[in-house]
Amino acid sequence: MTSEHSAHPPLAVVTGASSGIGAASARGLAAAGYHVVLTARRADRIEAVAAEIRAAGQSAAAYPLDVTDRAAVNAFAATLPRCDVLVANAGGALGADPVATGDPADWLAMYQVNVMGTLHTTQALLPALVASGAGTVVVMSSTAAHTAYEGGGGYVAAKHGTHAIAATLRLELSGEPVRVVELAPGMVKTDEFAVNRMRGDAAKAAAVYAGVEKPLTAEDVADAVVWAVTRPAHVNVDLLVLRPLAQAAQHKVHRTG
């Protein structure tokens, strides 16, 4: 980090930081020397993670935020003294229905958080990221952003949208001091993702990972986030796809038993 950063710790914003990949990324960036601002709708959860980070001797703050609310995102951006890193992680999946019978409300909800949430936070923070002189936007997509699969139509469409934001933004920022990184995780087992997708049905959520010896963890993905962010400023990790060894492709997963 530069001498300027030594005087003023670089600031990283992590959306969707109340659990899973977001919370793990916040912990990892704080350990790497960033002042981390955790955002999510659940104030109690982000406050708890921020308190845990501070108890470890690192720097963190919590800001309750719904990334689908543009006015709220703008108000949040106005509170920040600077912004060096944005981890646009807020997202999620709803349902596993085929296109023929999928609920349009689910599709819209997934689009709002995965695509519009990423757009809102990126647009609001981009001036500060440029002004930092070495900004980084990390867009959390998915292997679903690159490969369709049965029962995933709405989520696949939404994550293709986040991929499009990252790819287009990188072109449009050519010549500006801001890197755009896309991380595309495959099968990650977290406390909430599959449970939320299956509408709280723990048995259906567990079936997603049945027989998979070692799915990725939130910490595995967070490790990649921190690695990409902490590369020298001239090194851009355009796209990093992460899968567990058991997942050779979206449609090919080795299961034991």
Side-chain angles (χ1 to χ4, degrees):
M1 295 176 187
T2 66
S3 57
E4 178 189 356
H5 281 166
S6 299
H8 302 284
L11 187 150
V13 171
V14 181
T15 69
S18 58
S19 65
I21 293 169
S25 296
R27 293 185 187 101
L29 288 168
Y34 287 81
H35 171 65
V36 179
V37 181
L38 298 87
T39 74
R41 289 173 299 175
R42 294 178 293 180
D44 57 334
R45 295 291 293 268
I46 53 173
E47 291 284 0
V49 178
E52 173 194 325
I53 290 170
R54 292 192 295 268
Q58 296 146 11
S59 183
Y63 190 106
L65 181 66
D66 179 351
V67 296
T68 68
D69 182 339
R70 182 53 182 266
V73 171
N74 287 345
F76 163 66
T79 69
L80 299 177
R82 62 182 293 147
C83 185
D84 301 89
V85 174
L86 165 63
V87 180
N89 168 74
L94 288 171
D97 305 306
V99 171
T101 56
D103 186 342
D106 286 346
W107 282 59
L108 181 59
M110 285 186 278
Y111 190 88
Q112 288 283 7
V113 67
N114 289 285
V115 181
M116 298 308 296
T118 297
L119 179 67
H120 292 328
T121 51
T122 300
Q123 287 185 333
L125 295 175
L126 199 53
L129 288 159
V130 172
S132 75
T136 305
V137 178
V138 179
V139 173
M140 192 63 64
S141 70
S142 165
T143 50
H146 302 272
T147 305
Y149 60 95
E150 294 154 298
Y155 184 61
V156 167
K159 283 305 189 184
H160 271 68
T162 61
H163 163 69
I165 289 175
T168 307
L169 184 64
R170 191 178 302 114
L171 294 171
E172 294 171 346
L173 289 178
S174 178
E176 297 287 354
V178 179
R179 302 179 297 181
V180 181
V181 177
E182 179 185 351
L183 255 63
M187 182 176 280
V188 185
K189 187 175 184 180
T190 63
D191 292 337
E192 297 187 332
F193 180 85
V195 174
N196 289 340
R197 182 171 202 166
M198 300 304 173
R199 309 182 199 283
D201 189 324
K204 283 186 178 179
V208 173
Y209 309 103
V212 179
E213 186 177 359
K214 288 186 178 180
L216 295 178
T217 66
E219 288 70 27
D220 291 329
V221 181
D223 186 48
V225 170
V226 175
W227 177 80
V229 167
T230 56
R231 293 313 84 206
H234 71 287
V235 178
N236 195 99
V237 180
D238 282 17
L239 170 64
L240 181 55
V241 178
L242 302 172
R243 298 185 196 269
L245 180 60
Q247 187 182 34
Q250 200 77 350
H251 60 283
K252 187 172 179 66
V253 179
H254 176 70
R255 300 178 190 268
T256 61

